[in-house]
Amino acid sequence: MANEKKGSNMLYDLINYAKESLTTDNFPSGPCMVCLYEFTKDDMYVVTKCFHHFHSRCLANYIEKG
């Protein structure tokens, strides 16, 4: 990837790539900030653009009531 980005804003692109990889490949640590329950391996969760993790149902309920 670095050779392809030579001469451009490579550092910015590499940092974003690393953030996306960590968010996609790692399991969320800490609780859902809506219900405050920890995530389990069977939970469906969403990741926001700012890299916050929520249970899918919790975020949906929060947006619906908001």
Side-chain angles (χ1 to χ4, degrees):
M1 179 176 180
N3 284 333
E4 296 170 8
K5 297 292 183 177
K6 196 172 189 176
S8 67
N9 295 330
M10 178 175 39
L11 185 57
Y12 177 78
D13 291 337
L14 289 172
I15 290 170
N16 278 336
Y17 177 78
K19 281 184 189 178
E20 289 176 20
S21 295
L22 288 172
T23 303
T24 319
D25 299 334
N26 287 342
F27 188 75
S29 62
C32 168
M33 297 314 296
V34 175
C35 70
L36 302 179
Y37 285 102
E38 296 288 330
F39 292 93
T40 67
K41 64 177 182 149
D42 296 326
D43 287 335
M44 302 256 324
Y45 62 91
V46 294
V47 183
T48 63
K49 288 184 179 184
C50 53
F51 302 102
H52 290 94
H53 296 81
F54 299 94
H55 291 113
S56 298
R57 67 184 179 281
C58 294
L59 187 57
N61 287 338
Y62 179 79
I63 291 171
E64 209 171 79
K65 293 176 184 177

